Amino acid sequence: MALTLVSTLEGHEDIVWQVAWNGGILSSCGSDLSVRIWQKEKETTEYECTCILNKSHKRTIRSLQWSRDGQYLATASFDSTVNIWKFTPSSKSNDNEDSFECVSTLKGQEKELKSVCWSPNWKNFSLKKQYLACCSRDHSVWIWEKISSDDFEISEVLEGHEGDVKHVGFSPTEPILVSSSYDNSVRIWSHVSLNSDKKQKKGNSKGGKLVDELDEEMEWKAQGKLADHTNIVTSTSFSADGKILVSVSADRSLIIYEKKEEQEQEQEKELENVKEEEKVKGEEYKGKSALYEFSSYIQSTAGWVIRQKIENLHERNIMSVDIKKDDSKLTIATCGEDDCIHILQEDENNVIQKIISIPNAHKSDINCVTWGENNLLASCGDDRLVKIWKFEN
Amino acid sequence: MTRRSGLIVTDLDDFAPSQVCVNPLVQSKNKESTQITLTLEDLDDNSFNNGNGIGFEPESESESEEEEVQLTLSDCLACSGCITSIESILVNKQSLYKFIKVVSDQKQDNKVVIVSLSPQTRASVATYLNITPFEAQEKIANLFVKLGVHSVYDLSFGRDLYLQGLGEEFLSNCKKIEKIEKDYFEVKKKTQSKVQLNNLSLLLDDDDEYEDDDEEEELKIKIEQETQSEEKVSKNTFPTFVGNCPAWVCLAEKRYPELILPKMSKIMPEQEIMGYLLKKKVAALLSRKEEDIYHVSLMSCYDKKLEASREEFGTKTFGFKLVDSVLTSVEVKDLFQFDDIIAKFEKGEMEKEEMEKKFKKVDPKIDPETYQQILKKNMDNENPETVKQYSNLDYQNKKIYSMRERGSGGICEYLYRQMGQLFFNYQKDEIPKINWVNLRGKDFQSLKLKSKDQKKEIHFIRVYGFKNIQNLLRKMETDQETFHFIEIEACPHSACLNGGGQIKIDQIKKKRVQLNAILNAGQIVDKLEENYFNEKDFVIRLPDLNTEVNQIFEKYFSNENFKILKTEYHNRKKDFDKIKNPLELEW
């Protein structure tokens, strides 16, 4: 088992904050107000910077994500806007070059945006719309819905966090959004059709309405809260089957959560019992005043149970975590302000252990790690470099 | 935007160290304290202006109450920057404690207290006590009269006056714009205008970067002029936004002044119109000065308290404050709770200690002794006659006159009918039926009024809730559709009926369990809407058919007097920007 350095990509003129893969294409963004696209022409050649997108944001570009079909790139910046770029690869464009066109700008949040995330294709659910979530230092998470090839509308403004929101991520298998924040908590939000879909699947005759019939004013609601960290939760990641959630924090620990259906049902029943005691059968809360109470005092963990907690994983703040999406064994990469990259894997006893450690992977704080195809791992850091590593199992 | 129960001023994060007070205009006396204790004494006259002489009017008496400022503003547009600490002080000054004090010192201070009750508060209390809205009106009136209030009025009358003023303003603007641009209301085909990065509306940008400072100044002066001049009507006046939601006004003044303020309707909201009318009338009736009348209005949100302290509605413009204090439905519920507690005590069902404990639990600042004394003083007060005037109440049949509406006053429906008759010349029964179309859920709706030949139309939009406001502004930016009139209310689902100051669902549940009239959360919300309008307790009467309203309007607000109804808005963006980044850190 090894993690070997394959490429070091220079070019950014300031801190590189995030990297994201689109198939074999790597993109990075940073404090130099630019987005850089790195590609290999052939397997045998080196990575080259094939495109630079600058002059699109007025301040640091903090986060970027490719959409599920690889056609759009979203960049979120400290200037409180998100730019949506349409990507036409050279094979499809007229002049044999990759082209990026800024088709939309999303604005409205008041403070610096910290993270952006596209929704995946939820195969087993009736919700077929495409969403983009972004979170900000103004304690809110905004979910935008793509309504046409170049336009977005706000689907929901989610509030409840009591501190800056650092990271957002959608679950790959169900319409659930997870946000992590400076208030040491991870909050779970779900689309209102989630319960209806589940009831329909269970053959519950009361069942819910279909997504298209829902006439709700609230499209996304608070579902639960995980408050197990003792410091800022910097990043989260889902496994490919959506049943494992990993979170890392400035308290230098990593927590692995597992979703238990029975737990979820139990908690729902508990809630029901409490209401029964008050002789009132509660349903979904409508109206702002009741909703506010619910999302403030929410105690439920929405079925997530701690499977394992690893303390002192890094010597300083852990900045990012990513679960490998194409491995049968649970494989996790983390990076931190201690300039280290760690790889963890599930062993025979289903316990997650650190298997590889790369000290001084970068010359300074490492801001992001993300898995790509073919066992590649990309990382970026304050040392202005983007590095690509090859993982051998 | 946060719906947190406490507005946290000292945000600790790795960007800025904790600050004592966000507003740089305010310096707390005790700089070493970690708690925020700001009193009115800490501030001088300049604190209430934003540097150019416009601002808010605080209470004239300076009390040395060392009250801790509770920065609690449960309003969905309140955010860490929007409501400054000064505004929070102003809101907290209009407390129940203050009201009790005023009512008990009435005779000494030579004041007369009057109360006007909004239909939303009435609906909230009716749901809380499980009574009909008419009974709620009477019960609330009795409650206040027992405390020594002179008379209690129905604020839906003020709403009818507001609608009439709004209708006249909108009709006049539409006529003027048609003269300038003949095809302004013509039905246009949708143009596929793509949003280009470079062509984005400059005015929607929060951080404008003009290359030429003079250009910026010129544009600002031009916009200020357009905002304040009464006669000038241009494309910039449309679409017209209503100004009766104080949270929306706050958002517009602080974040989008250049874009929105020229388009805001200048008619002052209903509580101020009612205040003007009542103060004039009651002063004349009792042969007193308007300044001696203390007007309290019962509303469904806390931001109305802020609206009441606006300078434009105070002594500088009128010689007296139109609304002296606003109490929310929650505070009215507190008064009902006091009533209950004292009734039980006097029947002998409760010991004195327990009574005092329960009293303090509801509101720790109010002294039960003082409260009881007030009740004793006013034991013989009867409900005086004046409450029957200026109201939509039918005392004979014990019903209430109303339009069929959703929670904030039926503004669009009223204008639809007015414009149908007076602009497109339909006969009353010819006007096409109102058919709202959902643009995104029930909180973002569109209504089109077509002319007889179907060639012209007036486009009304109704928007509730912050996220839909953002969606609307975005739609306006892309310029694909033209809107002419927009009703914006900050509270989602049912606007003012769902305001931040309404009695909370769990309180209603508890009380209803006591009264053996149990309902679950969803049913309570339905009941609230019923108590705002239903076929049984209400009689449909359109506001234009209210002859009393027409008479009053004719006498006090028509022709040259129309300008009394008009107010001004101000660009408060500078304040807000300073607060947004007080240490000017670039992270």
Side-chain angles (χ1 to χ4, degrees):
Chain A
M1 287 184 290
L3 188 74
T4 33
L5 181 62
V6 165
S7 271
T8 303
L9 309 174
E10 287 183 27
H12 272 286
E13 292 160 14
D14 206 336
I15 301 172
V16 189
W17 283 109
Q18 193 159 4
V19 275
W21 288 99
N22 177 14
I25 304 173
L26 183 67
S27 59
S28 60
C29 64
S31 293
D32 60 354
L33 314 187
S34 79
V35 172
R36 282 165 201 258
I37 310 291
W38 313 89
Q39 281 176 328
K40 266 186 167 185
E41 221 187 285
K42 293 176 221 170
E43 267 302 313
T44 46
T45 54
E46 283 294 315
Y47 278 96
E48 275 178 356
C49 178
T50 56
C51 193
I52 303 179
L53 307 172
N54 44 19
K55 296 180 191 164
S56 61
H57 282 289
K58 295 181 199 165
R59 289 178 66 189
T60 296
I61 306 179
R62 180 60 177 82
S63 174
L64 85 179
Q65 275 287 342
W66 289 91
S67 67
R68 60 195 184 198
D69 52 11
Q71 279 184 22
Y72 293 93
L73 176 68
T75 57
S77 159
F78 282 173
D79 67 5
S80 312
T81 64
V82 174
N83 277 338
I84 311 289
W85 302 85
K86 185 159 168 64
F87 170 59
T88 321
S90 50
S91 48
K92 295 190 182 156
S93 82
N94 296 333
D95 46 2
N96 252 347
E97 263 185 33
D98 289 338
S99 74
F100 286 85
E101 189 197 345
C102 184
V103 296
S104 192
T105 301
L106 313 179
K107 38 169 90 175
Q109 283 176 290
E110 285 168 45
K111 290 195 181 170
E112 295 83 353
L113 298 181
K114 290 302 205 74
S115 175
V116 71
C117 174
W118 291 92
S119 67
N121 187 8
W122 294 303
K123 297 197 185 96
N124 297 326
F125 285 85
S126 52
L127 185 63
K128 297 297 174 201
K129 305 181 189 180
Q130 195 169 13
Y131 294 98
L132 178 78
C134 47
C135 65
S136 156
R137 284 191 62 219
D138 69 2
H139 309 203
S140 68
V141 174
W142 286 32
I143 302 185
W144 295 81
E145 180 194 331
K146 190 160 183 292
I147 54 172
S148 72
S149 59
D150 59 1
D151 205 7
F152 288 75
E153 256 180 22
I154 301 175
S155 169
E156 199 59 72
V157 170
L158 298 172
E159 295 166 35
H161 272 297
E162 288 152 15
D164 301 2
V165 190
K166 184 91 184 212
H167 189 266
V168 277
F170 279 104
S171 159
T173 50
E174 42 188 356
I176 282 178
L177 177 75
V178 152
S179 61
S180 62
S181 152
Y182 275 66
D183 66 1
N184 306 351
S185 76
V186 171
R187 278 182 202 244
I188 302 156
W189 316 88
S190 64
H191 192 266
V192 292
S193 69
L194 183 68
N195 287 328
S196 323
D197 272 1
K198 280 189 176 169
K199 281 182 189 165
Q200 279 199 334
K201 264 159 216 157
K202 287 178 188 168
N204 198 338
S205 59
K206 277 189 194 164
K209 297 181 189 174
L210 291 172
V211 168
D212 297 323
E213 288 174 16
L214 288 173
D215 195 17
E216 302 264 350
E217 287 87 22
M218 293 289 301
E219 297 180 34
W220 293 81
K221 288 188 188 172
Q223 201 196 14
K225 182 171 97 165
L226 307 169
D228 302 299
H229 279 288
T230 52
N231 206 331
I232 306 165
V233 185
T234 48
S235 181
T236 56
S237 177
F238 277 98
S239 63
D241 61 5
K243 293 194 180 147
I244 305 261
L245 173 68
V246 152
S247 69
V248 287
S249 159
D251 66 8
R252 299 159 38 225
S253 73
L254 176 139
I255 300 183
I256 301 155
Y257 294 94
E258 206 166 11
K259 184 136 188 198
K260 300 247 155 139
E261 285 289 335
E262 315 88 57
Q263 184 77 13
E264 204 178 0
Q265 286 168 7
E266 246 182 71
Q267 282 172 336
E268 269 181 44
K269 272 193 192 156
E270 254 183 63
L271 265 172
E272 290 284 333
N273 286 336
V274 167
K275 289 164 194 166
E276 281 291 334
E277 276 169 22
E278 292 182 347
K279 294 187 187 175
V280 175
K281 272 190 213 160
E283 289 180 327
E284 292 133 24
Y285 282 96
K286 275 200 236 178
K288 184 198 84 138
S289 49
L291 177 69
Y292 154 68
E293 284 160 33
F294 187 61
S295 98
S296 267
Y297 301 124
I298 193 164
Q299 293 295 318
S300 159
T301 61
W304 292 96
V305 172
I306 298 183
R307 173 174 151 178
Q308 191 178 343
K309 183 169 183 177
I310 303 175
E311 311 249 12
N312 303 317
L313 179 61
H314 280 262
E315 284 163 35
R316 293 181 70 194
N317 184 2
I318 311 181
M319 293 295 287
S320 172
V321 67
D322 195 21
I323 300 182
K324 199 158 181 290
K325 303 292 190 276
D326 53 3
D327 220 324
S328 50
K329 275 190 262 180
L330 187 63
T331 312
I332 307 172
T334 64
C335 65
E337 280 179 0
D338 58 357
D339 315 351
C340 282
I341 293 178
H342 293 315
I343 310 287
L344 305 98
Q345 206 175 54
E346 206 179 350
D347 65 12
E348 323 83 51
N349 305 319
N350 291 334
V351 174
I352 314 288
Q353 304 269 17
K354 202 193 305 185
I355 54 167
I356 300 173
S357 242
I358 313 266
N360 301 314
H362 280 257
K363 293 177 210 155
S364 186
D365 300 0
I366 310 178
N367 297 319
C368 176
V369 277
T370 177
W371 290 102
E373 301 177 329
N374 302 324
N375 294 329
L376 292 176
L377 178 76
S379 66
C380 64
D382 281 8
D383 60 357
R384 306 178 180 186
L385 301 175
V386 174
K387 294 195 178 182
I388 302 181
W389 312 76
K390 181 91 179 177
F391 174 64
E392 278 154 81
N393 220 332
Chain B
M1 274 43 55
T2 59
R3 296 191 186 120
R4 304 170 286 187
S5 60
L7 203 68
I8 305 163
V9 170
T10 53
D11 273 344
L12 194 65
D13 57 43
D14 58 10
F15 288 93
S18 82
Q19 304 134 87
V20 173
C21 175
V22 185
N23 191 327
L25 298 174
V26 175
Q27 293 295 321
S28 178
K29 270 186 195 164
N30 187 356
K31 290 194 181 165
E32 284 166 7
S33 72
T34 49
Q35 267 190 332
I36 310 148
T37 43
L38 290 171
T39 66
L40 266 186
E41 288 177 336
D42 288 341
L43 315 166
D44 57 20
D45 272 336
N46 279 328
S47 305
F48 288 98
N49 311 331
N50 59 359
N52 47 5
I54 39 171
F56 297 93
E57 191 176 314
E59 295 286 322
S60 42
E61 305 125 59
S62 59
E63 295 130 25
S64 55
E65 305 153 25
E66 280 297 313
E67 291 174 29
E68 253 175 45
V69 174
Q70 303 144 26
L71 302 177
T72 55
L73 275 172
S74 46
D75 186 285
C76 55
L77 288 186
C79 62
S80 51
C82 226
I83 307 289
T84 62
S85 4
I86 288 184
E87 289 167 347
S88 314
I89 296 179
L90 289 167
V91 166
N92 284 315
K93 281 292 167 191
Q94 293 180 24
S95 61
L96 197 58
Y97 168 72
K98 180 67 197 294
F99 170 71
I100 301 288
K101 202 158 182 281
V102 165
V103 137
S104 76
D105 296 339
Q106 259 182 101
K107 293 228 168 88
Q108 295 158 246
D109 300 337
N110 205 17
K111 289 214 189 261
V112 173
V113 181
I114 56 173
V115 167
S116 49
L117 168 67
S118 71
Q120 291 88 6
T121 303
R122 180 175 64 203
S124 188
V125 171
T127 318
Y128 176 72
L129 296 175
N130 194 32
I131 48 181
T132 68
F134 190 88
E135 289 170 4
Q137 177 96 24
E138 289 194 320
K139 264 210 156 167
I140 295 173
N142 280 326
L143 178 76
F144 279 94
V145 164
K146 272 199 300 192
L147 286 172
V149 162
H150 178 268
S151 40
V152 177
Y153 299 88
D154 173 17
L155 200 59
S156 65
F157 191 83
R159 191 269 321 268
D160 291 348
L161 289 169
Y162 173 67
L163 288 176
Q164 195 146 347
L166 205 63
E168 280 200 23
E169 184 196 50
F170 190 56
L171 181 65
S172 137
N173 282 349
C174 285
K175 286 189 175 162
K176 283 181 192 164
I177 195 83
E178 233 193 357
K179 283 191 191 154
I180 303 172
E181 299 213 13
K182 293 219 169 119
D183 60 349
Y184 191 71
F185 292 108
E186 253 162 55
V187 180
K188 291 175 192 114
K189 289 186 189 156
K190 271 193 188 173
T191 45
Q192 293 289 316
S193 61
K194 218 175 164 193
V195 175
Q196 299 288 329
L197 184 63
N198 301 325
N199 292 345
L200 284 177
S201 166
L202 282 171
L203 298 174
L204 201 53
D205 240 312
D206 274 334
D207 313 302
D208 279 331
E209 278 167 24
Y210 284 91
E211 282 160 24
D212 195 349
D213 271 331
D214 289 335
E215 207 185 285
E216 185 182 358
E217 273 307 301
E218 238 183 70
L219 185 65
K220 279 191 180 162
I221 294 173
K222 187 173 163 208
I223 290 171
E224 277 282 314
Q225 281 177 349
E226 280 190 19
T227 317
Q228 287 171 23
S229 89
E230 290 177 25
E231 272 73 41
K232 256 193 186 161
V233 167
S234 68
K235 262 187 173 164
N236 218 13
T237 332
F238 284 86
T240 305
F241 289 89
V242 288
N244 75 335
C245 175
W248 163 240
V249 169
C250 195
L251 190 73
E253 285 185 331
K254 289 185 178 173
R255 286 199 79 188
Y256 311 110
E258 295 94 357
L259 177 69
I260 303 288
L261 294 187
K263 303 180 175 27
M264 283 280 237
S265 152
K266 295 191 180 40
I267 308 291
M268 59 184 182
E270 54 242 42
Q271 67 174 7
E272 277 76 27
I273 299 182
M274 198 70 178
Y276 180 84
L277 176 72
L278 291 179
K279 284 208 176 187
K280 286 258 173 205
K281 285 292 197 180
V282 174
L285 183 78
L286 303 173
S287 311
R288 303 268 213 113
K289 289 189 266 179
E290 287 95 353
E291 301 91 78
D292 294 334
I293 316 285
Y294 191 90
H295 176 217
V296 178
S297 77
L298 308 179
M299 304 295 271
S300 60
C301 90
Y302 289 89
D303 273 339
K304 283 284 180 184
K305 300 191 185 213
L306 205 59
E307 181 188 275
S309 0
R310 280 176 80 93
E311 219 174 52
E312 294 83 15
F313 303 139
T315 37
K316 283 199 182 159
T317 327
F318 290 96
F320 53 90
K321 276 188 101 168
L322 298 182
V323 179
D324 293 279
S325 175
V326 175
L327 294 179
T328 58
S329 317
V330 168
E331 285 153 334
V332 173
K333 174 215 62 153
D334 287 350
L335 290 175
F336 274 110
Q337 283 184 307
F338 289 153
D339 227 31
D340 266 350
I341 295 169
I342 289 192
K344 280 196 182 151
F345 170 65
E346 291 185 345
K347 273 194 213 166
E349 291 172 20
M350 210 185 276
E351 295 293 326
K352 188 165 189 199
E353 260 182 50
E354 201 192 336
M355 184 270 274
E356 289 187 352
K357 209 171 119 188
K358 286 206 168 180
F359 222 86
K360 295 281 178 191
K361 204 178 168 198
V362 174
D363 191 331
K365 290 199 207 95
I366 298 179
D367 176 34
E369 283 292 325
T370 324
Y371 198 84
Q372 283 185 296
Q373 278 174 11
I374 300 172
L375 290 177
K376 284 203 180 111
K377 250 197 273 180
N378 297 299
M379 235 170 33
D380 301 321
N381 271 4
E382 284 170 15
N383 217 348
E385 282 283 312
T386 40
V387 81
K388 288 187 189 168
Q389 275 185 310
Y390 323 125
S391 77
N392 277 316
L393 302 163
D394 176 6
Y395 276 86
Q396 248 186 343
N397 301 315
K398 305 238 166 178
K399 295 206 179 184
I400 305 176
Y401 295 114
S402 171
M403 311 191 276
R404 194 186 299 273
E405 44 179 307
R406 251 187 88 184
S408 77
I411 297 172
C412 282
E413 282 99 341
Y414 175 84
L415 284 180
Y416 180 91
R417 277 191 308 270
Q418 287 293 94
M419 297 305 279
Q421 289 180 329
L422 303 172
F423 194 70
F424 286 147
N425 303 316
Y426 279 103
Q427 296 296 319
K428 265 190 196 167
D429 41 358
E430 271 184 354
I431 304 176
K433 231 183 153 190
I434 291 180
N435 185 18
W436 286 101
V437 171
N438 284 359
L439 292 184
R440 192 175 180 103
K442 269 195 281 175
D443 278 352
F444 191 170
Q445 294 177 312
S446 144
L447 174 68
K448 288 188 180 167
L449 171 68
K450 294 227 157 138
S451 61
K452 281 185 182 173
D453 56 9
Q454 304 293 307
K455 284 194 188 153
K456 293 191 189 170
E457 69 179 11
I458 299 186
H459 196 174
F460 296 93
I461 294 282
R462 180 161 72 187
V463 159
Y464 293 163
F466 177 71
K467 79 170 190 210
N468 290 309
I469 295 177
Q470 289 292 328
N471 274 334
L472 171 75
L473 293 174
R474 207 179 157 74
K475 263 196 153 64
M476 276 172 59
E477 206 178 290
T478 58
D479 208 28
Q480 277 183 2
E481 290 182 49
T482 32
F483 306 131
H484 300 121
F485 186 85
I486 303 182
E487 178 185 334
I488 292 196
E489 307 289 344
C491 297
H493 189 70
S494 42
C496 301
L497 196 56
N498 194 20
Q502 293 285 67
I503 305 175
K504 302 280 180 259
I505 290 190
D506 67 341
Q507 293 277 7
I508 298 180
K509 267 193 221 164
K510 263 190 211 165
K511 181 75 183 183
R512 291 190 79 106
V513 164
Q514 272 179 26
L515 300 169
N516 258 330
I518 298 158
L519 288 178
N520 70 29
Q523 289 171 327
I524 286 178
V525 174
D526 289 340
K527 191 78 184 162
L528 191 64
E529 288 181 3
E530 256 184 57
N531 283 329
Y532 188 71
F533 176 80
N534 66 60
E535 304 278 347
K536 208 180 62 167
D537 305 307
F538 291 82
V539 174
I540 296 186
R541 182 181 73 179
L542 304 175
D544 18 334
L545 297 177
N546 185 343
T547 43
E548 209 184 351
V549 163
N550 292 330
Q551 282 170 1
I552 300 273
F553 198 88
E554 192 59 45
K555 189 169 171 195
Y556 288 90
F557 302 118
S558 61
N559 304 325
E560 321 87 56
N561 291 332
F562 192 63
K563 58 179 186 290
I564 297 176
L565 288 178
K566 296 214 168 182
T567 182
E568 290 174 350
Y569 301 100
H570 303 285
N571 183 339
R572 293 188 211 274
K573 201 174 181 192
K574 264 194 203 150
D575 263 2
F576 178 52
D577 276 346
K578 248 194 226 167
I579 291 155
K580 209 162 73 163
N581 202 352
L583 300 184
E584 305 289 333
L585 287 176
E586 277 285 321
W587 288 86

